[in-house]
Amino acid sequence: MPELPEVETTLRGVAPHIEGKTVADVCVRQGKLRWPVHPDLPEILRGQRVEECGRRAKYLIIRFQTGMLLIHLGMSGSLRIFTAGDGRIDAPGKHDHIDVVFSDGTVLRYHDPRRFGAVLWYEGIAEHHPLLQKLGHEPLSEAFSAEYLYACLQKQKKAVKLSLMDNALVVGVGNIYANESLFAAGISPHRPANCVSEAECALLVASIRNILTRAIAAGGSTLRDFVNSDGKSGYFQQEYFVYGRHQQPCRQCGRPVEKAVIGQRSAFYCGGCQT
Ligand SMILES: [Zn+2]
């Protein structure tokens, strides 16, 4: 599943190719995504210029003159760019559901085999969209501070791992990053949220920022792959400390990594390094 770093990498890979460009046409081959694509999308977008591309949580936001496209990659979605200069635009495959064609020949293509993603047209203020308005802070923003995290966790008795994965508290900390940041901070995923100290919150915030920043940097090396490629290589694997390493030796102490289910998601942790 595309996580926040992959979405940020997608934004950085796609934005320079479409910002300032004008839509010539839109081809919707399959509009039944998680929510239906607006039936008039081609009429709406034709002749409109891309003013800016951005991101909120795992939503890409492409701003046009009269509104915006909110794009979520769901479980299996990806975006790719075809540039006119190379004269090579692959014939659309079975899962290439939407093409946005720009007047210079550039094509932005949405691909999503499982169709859990979304391409939504919205004419209001982004922060007011029902999918965006209840989201917590961005993990890489100043607002996501140790003080903020401590204040939130103090009010919760559930396992701290569940709190970190709660989008209303902080966005973009999916299962991988929750597991890895708890390991880096030496905190057991089972620990009740209100038993995490303020000093540990500072460690957690720093760990989350560090892990996401490194993942985004790793993605940066694959930026060129968004153009004229199979669209798959924009995703990347990092070397993890605990995630997916059940029974393998902890990279810090050698003890086997343990696995448990917390809130229906797998928690990986070291019983020696995390308390
Ligand atoms: Zn260990």
Side-chain angles (χ1 to χ4, degrees):
M1 188 195 310
E3 295 284 348
L4 187 137
E6 285 86 350
V7 179
E8 178 66 25
T9 300
T10 299
L11 168 67
R12 295 180 189 186
V14 161
H17 296 284
I18 64 171
E19 277 177 342
K21 292 186 182 173
T22 302
V23 176
D25 206 358
V26 179
C27 178
V28 180
R29 295 180 199 91
Q30 172 57 273
K32 289 180 192 161
L33 302 179
R34 181 163 179 188
W35 295 286
V37 174
H38 195 302
D40 300 329
L41 194 64
E43 289 73 23
I44 291 168
L45 286 185
R46 244 175 248 142
Q48 291 218 49
R49 196 180 66 240
V50 175
E51 306 217 306
E52 189 183 31
C53 298
R55 177 186 63 75
R56 177 74 174 103
K58 294 206 288 184
Y59 290 90
L60 289 159
I61 301 175
I62 303 178
R63 287 181 200 280
F64 293 87
Q65 288 146 299
T66 68
M68 67 197 74
L69 277 183
L70 300 181
I71 301 179
H72 196 285
L73 301 175
M75 303 288 286
S76 57
S78 62
L79 290 173
R80 40 200 296 224
I81 290 279
F82 295 98
T83 53
D86 297 304
R88 197 201 120 196
I89 297 177
D90 290 359
K94 188 180 170 194
H95 305 297
D96 292 331
H97 305 311
I98 300 172
D99 279 359
V100 180
V101 184
F102 294 91
S103 57
D104 72 342
T106 299
V107 175
L108 174 67
R109 179 168 286 174
Y110 179 81
H111 171 92
D112 187 0
R114 296 182 65 181
R115 291 199 270 128
F116 281 119
V119 176
L120 299 169
W121 176 248
Y122 183 61
E123 294 183 346
I125 298 165
E127 295 73 35
H128 295 176
H129 192 281
L131 292 167
L132 305 185
Q133 64 182 354
K134 292 192 180 122
L135 294 175
H137 289 317
E138 286 288 327
L140 299 177
S141 71
E142 294 277 316
F144 182 60
S145 64
E147 296 75 29
Y148 167 77
L149 181 61
Y150 182 66
C152 294
L153 294 187
Q154 280 296 297
K155 294 177 209 151
Q156 303 186 349
K157 290 180 184 166
K158 61 187 175 189
V160 60
K161 179 167 180 281
L162 293 176
S163 298
L164 292 182
M165 293 178 67
D166 179 358
N167 271 337
L169 195 164
V170 57
V171 299
V173 183
N175 200 31
I176 295 171
Y177 301 111
N179 278 302
E180 291 292 303
S181 60
L182 284 166
F183 175 83
I187 300 166
S188 165
H190 295 287
R191 178 121 52 105
N194 60 3
C195 296
V196 177
S197 72
E198 195 160 3
E200 286 174 321
C201 284
L203 272 177
L204 262 179
V205 167
S207 305
I208 289 168
R209 287 217 176 112
N210 181 32
I211 289 163
L212 291 173
T213 303
R214 275 191 291 125
I216 291 166
S221 61
T222 68
L223 281 190
R224 58 192 159 72
D225 295 325
F226 281 91
V227 179
N228 301 334
S229 79
D230 62 7
K232 286 176 189 150
S233 34
Y235 302 101
F236 41 89
Q237 285 271 314
Q238 278 181 292
E239 189 169 80
Y240 300 125
F241 279 92
V242 285
Y243 180 78
R245 298 192 64 245
H246 185 213
Q247 292 182 336
Q248 294 177 49
C250 168
R251 296 192 201 282
Q252 212 158 257
C253 73
R255 186 173 159 151
V257 169
E258 295 173 48
K259 183 180 172 184
V261 175
I262 301 176
Q264 298 173 318
R265 302 299 299 273
S266 295
F268 297 93
Y269 60 99
C270 172
C273 298
Q274 293 170 260
T275 55

